[in-house]
Amino acid sequence: MNIHDLDTPALVVDLDRLERNIARMADLVREGGKRLRPHVKTHKTPEVGRMQLAAGASGITVAKPGEAEAFADAGFDDIFLANQIVGSAKIERLLALARRVRLLVGVDSLDVAEPLSRRAAAAGLRIPVRLELDTGLDRAGLRTVEQAVALGKDLARLEGIAVQGVFTHEGHLARMSPEARRPAALEAAAKVRQVAAALRAAGIPAEEASVGSTPGARDMAAAPGIDEMRPGVYVYYDLMQVQRGTIAADDCALSVLTTVISRPSREVAITDGGTKTFSGDAGPEGSRFGLVTNDPSARFDWANEEHGHLDLRDATIQPRVGDVLRIVPWHACAAVNMHDTVFACRGERVEAVWQVAARGRIR
Ligand SMILES: Cc1ncc(COP(=O)(O)O)c(C=O)c1O
């Protein structure tokens, strides 16, 4: 099949760029002497996960039990569920997963850990956990070394879990200028290291220190005392990463083919890809929903559910109804989750059609 034969909107992956992105990150992490455990929430696609393992990843990271189940069903057997798992329905699924694969889970409080431990002990299991630290994002995670050591001591008394390490998602780096990122990454790495050392000094076997983000990857690869890295969006990249200076536009491997369905005026083109194609995630200004690769000065400035609005006042193209435009989404992870399938292309040839197996697995 040829890319021009695809009906739109269609999510397409450029295989050459995907392979290059996967190889580059694998090299960076390997040269830094660390293990790679990519976050698969970006692609949600077992075929891409297998490419990451083939390039040297030691396992995968997921955010939800549903993602873990989808990847376990596809044969993945080493999974870090890097999130707080709360509620008996999820705990039961987590225990079922722990019987099938090597499973690690995040915790940041006794309120999260105690029910998990109780149910695991009753089932004759001991689940390895990693303490989540906040290093600046202001999301879940312990804020101080003292809090982490106090929790570590409480967890050491629980029968159904075993502290295995510490982790952070240094997502705050994404909001910084490229110059400010390096010192902030090193500070985050130092905090993770310090907590791991303090836990070990208190007799708690926190063996592994794990960090994870694409904007921080270069600096984290060089940081001492870090064992594992979990970048996610690097497989595809997106307009957000381009605007934040992480990467050049021609490294973006994911795009959406959309068809022009209306030309109400010379200044406006309407496409068949709106928020149900790209998601509602958009940048603050300019071409907010995505980069129109045919002409980056065409501004994809707003969208309804099934309509994309392109402002062509500064554009050089004048597309006609029926023309197909290729648009790099603002946020790859959110756009992928809108699609059942992704078309893997080499140049203009469609080499494979992949199911986005963990699409919509929000529980
Ligand atoms: C816990 C965790 N680890 C790793 C990542 C990967 O970060 P990035 O998307 O910047 O590659 C994320 C992203 O949200 C995350 O939440």
Side-chain angles (χ1 to χ4, degrees):
M1 204 189 340
N2 187 284
I3 197 166
H4 300 297
D5 299 327
L6 294 175
D7 194 11
T8 68
L11 191 66
V12 298
V13 169
D14 181 312
L15 281 169
D16 292 331
R17 293 182 183 187
L18 173 65
E19 287 164 5
R20 196 170 66 206
N21 293 344
I22 287 175
R24 277 189 188 154
M25 185 61 79
D27 289 349
L28 178 74
V29 175
R30 189 181 312 110
E31 282 158 20
K34 295 162 175 59
R35 279 189 304 281
L36 179 61
R37 187 188 275 282
H39 205 310
V40 298
K41 51 109 196 191
T42 299
H43 54 74
K44 291 176 170 275
T45 305
E47 283 83 352
V48 181
R50 281 188 208 110
M51 290 167 72
Q52 292 171 306
L53 291 186
S58 62
I60 59 168
T61 305
V62 298
K64 293 291 177 81
E67 287 179 335
E69 287 161 353
F71 278 82
D73 290 348
F76 290 73
D77 60 4
D78 192 338
I79 302 177
F80 175 28
L81 183 34
N83 207 348
Q84 313 301 315
I85 299 305
V86 175
S88 49
K90 286 196 183 65
I91 291 175
E92 290 309 320
R93 287 163 61 204
L94 189 149
L95 298 182
L97 274 163
R99 292 191 185 93
R100 299 168 65 192
V101 301
R102 175 173 184 253
L103 187 73
L104 294 160
V105 190
V107 294
D108 74 349
S109 72
L110 200 54
D111 289 336
V112 169
E114 202 278 323
L116 172 61
S117 171
R118 195 167 4 96
R119 304 280 272 274
L125 293 166
R126 188 153 206 182
I127 309 287
V129 299
R130 289 174 167 177
L131 266 56
E132 180 166 6
L133 312 175
D134 182 81
T135 49
L137 180 59
D138 195 21
R139 205 171 72 176
L142 297 145
R143 267 35 179 187
T144 66
V145 179
E146 293 72 29
Q147 284 175 340
V149 172
L151 179 62
K153 286 181 178 165
D154 285 341
L155 299 189
R157 286 191 278 273
L158 300 182
E159 278 175 31
I161 61 172
V163 175
Q164 186 266 1
V166 294
F167 80 103
T168 193
H169 167 50
E170 62 285 9
H172 59 299
L173 302 183
R175 302 186 203 125
M176 298 179 174
S177 68
E179 307 76 59
R181 248 174 234 159
R182 188 173 167 71
L186 294 178
E187 199 183 310
K191 183 167 174 185
V192 172
R193 223 170 27 240
Q194 203 187 347
V195 171
L199 285 168
R200 288 195 286 262
I204 298 149
E207 301 301 338
E208 295 206 292
S210 172
V211 299
S213 78
T214 294
R218 187 154 298 283
D219 296 318
M220 286 302 192
I226 299 298
D227 303 295
E228 178 187 279
M229 292 171 52
R230 313 180 315 276
V233 74
Y234 76 96
V235 275
Y236 288 158
Y237 291 116
D238 52 25
L239 180 55
M240 188 185 338
Q241 299 292 324
V242 174
Q243 282 195 1
R244 291 179 175 169
T246 312
I247 202 75
D250 61 8
D251 284 315
C252 292
L254 186 80
S255 54
V256 181
L257 301 181
T258 57
T259 299
V260 176
I261 57 165
S262 176
R263 284 302 314 272
S265 70
R266 258 190 85 72
E267 291 80 34
V268 173
I270 302 296
T271 71
D272 62 355
T275 56
K276 284 183 174 162
T277 294
F278 287 87
S279 89
D281 221 344
E285 60 197 22
S287 201
R288 299 178 50 234
F289 284 85
L291 176 77
V292 183
T293 61
N294 313 64
D295 179 0
S297 24
R299 274 193 301 276
F300 186 178
D301 54 353
W302 62 268
N304 286 154
E305 288 169 57
E306 301 294 6
H307 298 78
H309 180 275
L310 305 188
D311 173 348
L312 300 180
R313 277 174 298 180
D314 297 328
T316 51
I317 50 166
Q318 278 295 327
R320 300 158 67 113
V321 167
D323 284 356
V324 173
L325 300 176
R326 191 164 179 161
I327 302 179
V328 172
W330 166 256
H331 189 184
C333 315
V336 162
N337 195 45
M338 310 306 286
H339 296 259
D340 291 324
T341 49
V342 53
F343 298 93
C345 301
R346 181 99 49 201
E348 299 203 332
R349 199 157 58 87
V350 180
E351 280 198 0
V353 184
W354 295 331
Q355 297 306 308
V356 185
R359 180 226 168 147
R361 300 293 181 100
I362 54 170
R363 283 187 208 99

